[in-house]
Amino acid sequence: MAYEAKDLLLKCDADDFAMLISQIDSYANLTSDKELQGLLDNYKREASPKNKETLAKVVEREIRYIGSADVAYGFRKLFKDDEPAGVSLREIIGDVSDKLKVKQKPLGSIEASLERLVKSTAERTFLSMSPEQQRKLFEDSGIGREQQNEFFSKIKDNKTTLLPLLMSVLGPEITAKLVQGLAVVTIAKFIGKEAATKLIQQLATKFPWWAEWLGPIVWGLSLGWLAVDLQGAAHRKTIPIMLYLGIVGLRDGPEDGDAFWSEA
């Protein structure tokens, strides 16, 4: 089996794998739910490189399964073990990008493409928020009134420069956290309130101030730009999984470096 996202998946910790597995898990498909949970339990007991890589490979395999047709994949998986099963991650990223109307570069790594998906999603989510919600986001993030006024004064005339403006006013660290948090808002629209509440609680251990604004914004924000059929079983899983992997990628900075924040 092609192992396309090794470097990215090996950046995941136990909580990240638990999130991904919770989205893969389903009584309605042929995924290896018990196998995944067993591998996660092994990794929690002994966080060795071997256990992590074994878990990462199976997680990728099952993500690729979700992106393909259940029946066709199940047949190949049962009767043609020598053939790679499921579609490639690049195909899944392409499909999700099309659904979310995100323009991808023709070349680039898996991680860079997922980070671009997160960036575009975060921009549109921020711009769909009311001025009051935007202000609350900034206030709960510890951004001073003077910086807020500077940002809102500049963004009023040119909404196409959102991320460059955030970078110039707030700096890279706060901007990166805001982008990741805004992507979580979109993820929450797909995974449901109970799962989203657990996700927010989990992520709040990494970024404590997220808990102050993510919950109210998630439940109060209607993402009018999200013209995707939320009833489509595959996209209810592939979209949040791809966005979450993009968040994991951004934790240590974007693959494209500083250019990531300025490119359209």
Side-chain angles (χ1 to χ4, degrees), residues 100-102 115-125:
L100 298 183
K101 295 180 171 58
V102 174
E115 290 170 354
R116 190 177 183 85
L117 187 67
V118 167
K119 179 177 73 169
S120 180
T121 298
E123 286 179 319
R124 279 191 280 177
T125 298

Side-chain angles (χ1 to χ4, degrees), residues 36-47:
L36 281 169
Q37 191 57 52
L39 291 172
L40 177 59
D41 291 342
N42 286 341
Y43 178 61
K44 286 180 176 179
R45 283 193 295 268
E46 182 186 351

Side-chain angles (χ1 to χ4, degrees), residues 148-195:
Q148 291 183 41
N149 291 339
E150 179 185 354
F151 171 80
F152 287 112
S153 174
K154 291 179 178 179
I155 198 66
K156 189 184 302 182
D157 299 323
N158 192 351
K159 291 182 171 59
T160 62
T161 60
L162 174 61
L163 284 183
L165 274 179
L166 284 173
M167 282 289 289
S168 66
V169 176
L170 307 179
E173 183 176 354
I174 292 295
T175 298
K177 289 179 180 178
L178 288 176
V179 165
Q180 293 171 55
L182 288 166
V184 172
V185 173
T186 304
I187 290 172
K189 296 298 180 180
F190 284 87
I191 66 178
K193 189 167 184 175
E194 182 178 351

Side-chain angles (χ1 to χ4, degrees), residues 13 18 34 36 91 147 168 193 212:
D13 60 22
K34 290 183 179 179
L36 281 169
E91 288 178 87
Q147 286 178 300
S168 66
K193 189 167 184 175
E212 297 295 325

